[in-house]
Amino acid sequence: MKKLLATSLVATAIAGPAVAETNLQLVEVITSPERTKVLQGIVSEFEAENPGTKVEIISLPWGQAFEKFATMVSAGQTPDVVEMPDTWAALYANNGALESLEPYLTSWDGTDKLNARTIEMARSGTGTAYMLPYGFYLRAMFYNKKLFKEAGVEKPPVTLDDFREAAEKVSALPGKYGFCLRGGSGGLNGWAVFGATTAGTDQFFDEEGNSIMSTEAWIKGAQFMVDLYQDGLAPKDSLNWGFNEIVAGFYSGTCAMLDQDPDALIGIAQRMDPNDFGVTTMPKGPNGKAYPTIGYAGWSMFSDSEHKDASWKLIAKLQSRDANLEWSKRVGTLPIYKDAESDPHYNTPQFAGWFEELSDPDVHPLTMPTHLEEFAFFKDSMSIRTSQEALLGRKSAEELGKEWGDYLSAAQKKWLAKQ
Amino acid sequence: MTTATDLGAHPANRQGVTSRRFLSRLEPYFYASPAIVLLVTVMMVPLVVGLTYTVRDIRILNPFSGGYVGFAHFEAVWHDQNFHNALFNTFWWTVTSLFFQFFLGLTLALLLNRTFPGRRIIQSLVFLPWAVPAFLSGLNWAWMFNPVISPLPHWLFALGILSEPTNILSDPDLAMWGPIVANIWFGIPFFAITLLAALQSIPGEIYEAASIDGASRRQQFVSITLPFLAPTIAITLMLRTIWIANFADLIIVMTNGGPADSTQIVSSYIFTQAFRRLDFGYASAIAAVLLVLLLAYAVSIIFIRRSLLRET
């Protein structure tokens, strides 16, 4: 009898910790082996700091991440924490899938240390923070100093006219082009930048939900892009160029100017001498302002998570200063902390170009209308096909602007009707 | 006693015999039923479910979708310029790929049908493309058309085929040739292997008799080889047409339907609508249209084949 009691007590003691264990599922979607390693390191620290909590990382390959994750969610296999690209956030938030992070941000001691863009972007579109950005892809202009010198361009372009002039001069060199045009996947941002710059606004819609893309001022920006391609200031192949091709086009010296986010710096810095290229603010329009796109990804919590407090702790760990800076260096984003500029990695002339752009009062970063459910299809499919048609001259810039404007206006009005 | 016994035996016998006959008649169905159940479950159920989507507004991630919309999706397909473009591309993609796959495959089969040293080894090597996953084929061919990585564009330029050593996948007038070339390479072994088997089943005596009668090689090919191959050719062409028309893998990997939808075919368009736009209702409607078109094609081929056999 005593033995039986003793055995029961021992069993109970052993079972105790097991019952208390918390299992979290973390999904990353912009996946590469190098960054998964960094993520695993941060998660290991988190597990060490929180005994009894285990985190399972699921890595979805980026090329099919959208489809795979959508299938997971529709099958009811929702994770606790997920990496949330800005282009997906509205889709999930609007369907009630994501937990609001506002209560947690209010009491987190890290909130005050974040730069203004972080909170601004977290609440983008919906006014509520359904995701917390971990870093920014702010568009800036890379330029090749050697090619500029060769072509007789004395300083980096400040205005659209400067930009066009520099492109023409470089394109006069045999086998060289002024601009690395992104005509393929991911090219929408380029059109948005030039359209917003000529239109002089960072808003995509008016109060009634009408898209500015249908306006004459915006269409001038689209025409600017079409003219660059059709006048031979960008390589003919660039009709189909995506991220890898435009970056390769820049570091190979084929084209002299590249508008890109800081993640491009990783590839370029490996292949170019830092003295041979610079980074500057995107060209300014007739009103003296620039409108670079700002994209971001962050971390979100699913509303049906059974461990919300533990999930928030994981997000807070991922977003702690040390983890965020380490992560930002790996994935190539600008960090979310105010004092990031003091970090040795970010204290360079190239990054100075970005931080200058980020703090320039005449720079109004463009946030793509990712709050719209229809936006993901627009960005990844519709805009690529139709913009290529415009570059090829099969569709006029005006027709393009109207088509895009009509599609997005309908989506915006539908969204407004739901608020 | 004798009479009673006789009368008693008959009913019992008759019942037993009837029962046995009934069971033996059902026997083949019982043996086939596991396969039939499996086929119905795996193919027919998803097909029916997919067809129900064509009249419903099914949008993944939208919990309030799913309502009945009648034939709105089919009306949208009818007016969809992108669909018509994809249909035209499907025709171009299918006919061109099939043409070269068939003739190159037949040539290969004829070559392998004669004896020469090392034939077995060469035969094995030649059939390797068929074993390579389509995704991998697509990636490799996409790289081969990239002038930064591959010598192919430069060779084409040197031969005068291209005016510049550019990537044809970036040229809307030439982009479709990229996946077509990859598909030809991928599909030649299919025709070669099936036609070789058919060639090897033709009796040698017929050729000997023809030779004795003075028939030339060309005459032998036209009068003996082709007629014997005809049924196999008809079946393989039909199967391959349907496979190629549905074969979006190479296109999605190599060009993703671009540039400017110049390589978008119906099956890759279905993929775009279902998994990019997340509109399963519309995607199912397009899929249903493709199904009807291919069924019509298959029925036509079967009808033609029967007519030809009847004439023979």
Side-chain angles (χ1 to χ4, degrees):
Chain A
M1 201 57 186
K2 284 184 179 179
K3 284 184 178 178
L4 183 60
L5 279 174
T7 305
S8 297
L9 286 173
V10 171
T12 304
I14 292 170
V19 170
E21 184 155 294
T22 302
N23 292 302
L24 299 177
Q25 209 176 60
L26 170 64
V27 171
E28 65 167 333
V29 299
I30 311 176
T31 304
S32 76
E34 295 81 18
R35 78 205 290 282
T36 303
K37 200 180 298 178
V38 175
L39 185 62
Q40 184 64 65
I42 299 170
V43 163
S44 296
E45 282 181 29
F46 173 78
E47 288 175 334
E49 292 164 8
N50 296 271
T53 303
K54 288 288 188 289
V55 180
E56 179 196 3
I57 298 175
I58 296 175
S59 304
L60 300 182
W62 171 242
Q64 302 96 40
F66 185 62
E67 297 86 6
K68 283 188 189 299
F69 190 65
T71 308
M72 273 178 73
V73 173
S74 67
Q77 298 160 9
T78 55
D80 298 281
V81 176
V82 62
E83 181 175 22
M84 182 61 62
D86 55 355
T87 52
W88 300 11
L91 193 57
Y92 288 94
N94 290 344
N95 284 291
L98 303 180
E99 182 77 7
S100 167
L101 301 179
E102 297 290 349
Y104 304 101
L105 288 173
T106 302
S107 55
W108 186 42
D109 59 19
T111 306
D112 291 341
K113 301 186 177 80
L114 306 178
N115 59 41
R117 299 290 187 196
T118 304
I119 300 300
E120 181 186 334
M121 296 305 144
R123 295 180 177 139
S124 168
T126 62
T128 302
Y130 284 109
M131 65 97 91
L132 185 58
Y134 60 57
F136 302 106
Y137 300 101
L138 178 64
R139 196 56 56 106
M141 187 67 71
F142 288 75
Y143 60 98
N144 186 314
K145 293 176 178 176
K146 271 175 65 178
L147 279 180
F148 270 21
K149 188 178 296 182
E150 223 177 297
V153 179
E154 293 181 7
K155 58 182 172 65
V158 174
T159 66
L160 282 179
D161 290 340
D162 290 346
F163 174 81
R164 168 83 192 193
E165 187 183 342
E168 285 172 355
K169 285 180 174 175
V170 174
S171 299
L173 302 174
K176 303 298 181 184
Y177 300 88
F179 185 51
C180 300
L181 182 81
R182 190 165 175 173
S185 176
L188 174 63
N189 287 16
W191 295 88
V193 167
F194 286 113
T197 305
T198 55
T201 175
D202 59 3
Q203 299 300 309
F204 280 96
F205 305 99
D206 63 21
E207 286 173 357
E208 292 165 8
N210 296 307
S211 172
I212 59 156
M213 288 180 173
S214 300
T215 65
E216 189 180 331
W218 195 94
I219 289 170
K220 278 180 182 173
Q223 189 64 55
F224 186 92
M225 282 276 277
V226 169
D227 290 343
L228 286 177
Y229 184 76
Q230 293 182 357
D231 294 345
L233 307 188
K236 190 188 174 195
D237 271 10
S238 62
L239 175 80
N240 212 31
W241 279 9
F243 176 79
N244 289 332
E245 289 85 5
I246 56 175
V247 171
F250 184 77
Y251 64 61
S252 66
T254 301
C255 22
M257 289 182 286
L258 164 72
D259 68 303
Q260 251 314 328
D261 303 323
D263 53 341
L265 195 57
I266 299 174
I268 292 169
Q270 285 170 11
R271 296 173 175 82
M272 289 184 83
D273 189 312
N275 297 316
D276 286 344
F277 72 99
V279 176
T280 188
T281 303
M282 291 295 289
K284 295 178 176 176
N287 67 348
K289 298 182 192 300
Y291 299 87
T293 50
I294 190 164
Y296 49 92
W299 302 104
S300 284
M301 189 194 303
F302 261 75
S303 56
D304 57 1
S305 168
E306 292 171 5
H307 310 287
K308 289 188 171 123
D309 285 341
S311 296
W312 167 253
K313 278 188 179 179
L314 176 56
I315 292 177
K317 173 63 183 178
L318 291 164
Q319 299 284 45
S320 63
R321 185 182 181 281
D322 288 348
N324 180 257
L325 288 188
E326 186 187 5
W327 180 252
S328 292
K329 291 168 193 172
R330 175 65 258 168
V331 304
T333 51
L334 300 177
I336 58 179
Y337 283 86
K338 290 171 182 170
D339 65 350
E341 289 178 63
S342 62
D343 185 278
H345 178 81
Y346 292 106
N347 192 14
T348 69
Q350 281 78 32
F351 276 110
W354 263 292
F355 291 123
E356 184 179 324
E357 186 179 41
L358 196 58
S359 59
D360 185 337
D362 286 327
V363 169
H364 298 265
L366 269 190
T367 304
M368 302 303 280
T370 55
H371 59 285
L372 301 174
E373 278 190 29
E374 293 82 355
F375 182 76
F377 173 70
F378 176 75
K379 169 180 171 288
D380 289 329
S381 198
M382 179 183 174
S383 66
I384 297 169
R385 171 173 51 80
T386 50
S387 63
Q388 285 173 337
E389 286 170 354
L391 294 174
L392 293 164
R394 297 179 180 177
K395 197 187 286 276
S396 70
E398 188 173 353
E399 284 163 346
L400 181 75
K402 181 161 167 44
E403 184 171 347
W404 287 10
D406 288 349
Y407 181 85
L408 291 178
S409 295
Q412 176 73 357
K413 288 173 178 176
K414 181 178 151 193
W415 180 78
L416 286 173
K418 274 200 257 179
Q419 305 309 303
Chain B
M1 282 301 286
T2 305
T3 306
T5 303
D6 285 346
L7 286 172
H10 279 302
N13 247 1
R14 192 169 294 117
Q15 280 177 7
V17 170
T18 303
S19 231
R20 219 167 285 121
R21 280 182 189 154
F22 182 69
L23 284 177
S24 64
R25 192 170 293 150
L26 282 187
E27 194 172 343
Y29 293 102
F30 280 124
Y31 284 129
S33 63
I36 292 172
V37 169
L38 190 63
L39 280 175
V40 169
T41 304
V42 172
M43 292 186 68
M44 297 306 289
V45 171
L47 177 62
V48 170
V49 170
L51 289 175
T52 65
Y53 284 6
T54 64
V55 292
R56 293 170 64 197
D57 174 29
I58 305 282
R59 291 174 188 269
I60 207 162
L61 297 186
N62 187 338
F64 305 111
S65 68
Y68 177 79
V69 295
F71 293 101
H73 288 321
F74 290 106
E75 190 176 348
V77 173
W78 184 255
H79 289 104
D80 188 350
Q81 185 54 45
N82 298 327
F83 170 77
H84 295 299
N85 170 64
L87 202 54
F88 172 80
N89 284 342
T90 301
F91 184 79
W92 176 18
W93 151 260
T94 304
V95 172
T96 308
S97 296
L98 194 67
F99 180 87
F100 285 104
Q101 277 185 12
F102 170 68
F103 281 102
L104 293 176
L106 178 59
T107 302
L108 190 55
L110 290 170
L111 289 173
L112 290 172
N113 194 35
R114 57 183 65 187
T115 306
F116 59 88
R119 190 193 74 166
R120 289 191 178 279
I121 295 172
I122 291 174
Q123 182 172 316
S124 301
L125 289 174
V126 150
F127 291 148
L128 277 180
W130 189 245
V132 177
F135 193 90
L136 186 56
S137 295
L139 282 182
N140 281 322
W141 277 101
W143 288 333
M144 279 198 271
F145 287 112
N146 188 329
V148 177
I149 296 168
S150 164
L152 196 56
H154 300 279
W155 291 344
L156 293 173
F157 168 67
L159 290 170
I161 295 171
L162 289 181
S163 59
E164 273 183 276
T166 58
N167 189 336
I168 65 166
L169 300 180
S170 291
D171 186 333
D173 297 320
L174 298 176
M176 180 61 96
W177 282 107
I180 286 175
V181 168
N183 197 14
I184 291 167
W185 176 82
F186 179 76
I188 288 170
F190 171 79
F191 280 100
I193 199 167
T194 52
L195 294 177
L196 180 59
L199 283 171
Q200 289 173 346
S201 69
I202 300 175
E205 297 84 25
I206 300 181
Y207 287 110
E208 288 168 13
S211 290
I212 290 170
D213 287 349
S216 69
R217 240 163 168 52
R218 204 186 80 89
Q219 282 171 317
Q220 287 182 43
F221 179 75
V222 171
S223 299
I224 301 172
T225 308
L226 277 187
F228 269 97
L229 289 183
T232 304
I233 289 173
I235 291 294
T236 53
L237 283 178
M238 180 183 75
L239 288 176
R240 199 73 196 121
T241 299
I242 293 171
W243 279 341
I244 293 173
N246 280 316
F247 191 41
D249 308 33
L250 283 177
I251 289 193
I252 288 173
V253 172
M254 293 182 70
T255 63
N256 205 23
D261 262 18
S262 57
T263 60
Q264 187 84 285
I265 63 173
V266 175
S267 48
S268 61
Y269 189 54
I270 292 166
F271 178 87
T272 297
Q273 295 301 308
F275 293 107
R276 295 266 149 78
R277 197 173 190 175
L278 302 180
D279 189 345
F280 273 38
Y282 189 57
S284 294
I286 302 171
V289 171
L290 182 60
L291 175 66
V292 169
L293 291 173
L294 291 176
L295 277 179
Y297 168 78
V299 169
S300 303
I301 291 291
I302 289 170
F303 181 78
I304 291 168
R305 183 166 175 273
R306 281 185 182 172
S307 299
L308 291 175
L309 290 177
R310 195 173 299 122
E311 286 172 15
T312 306

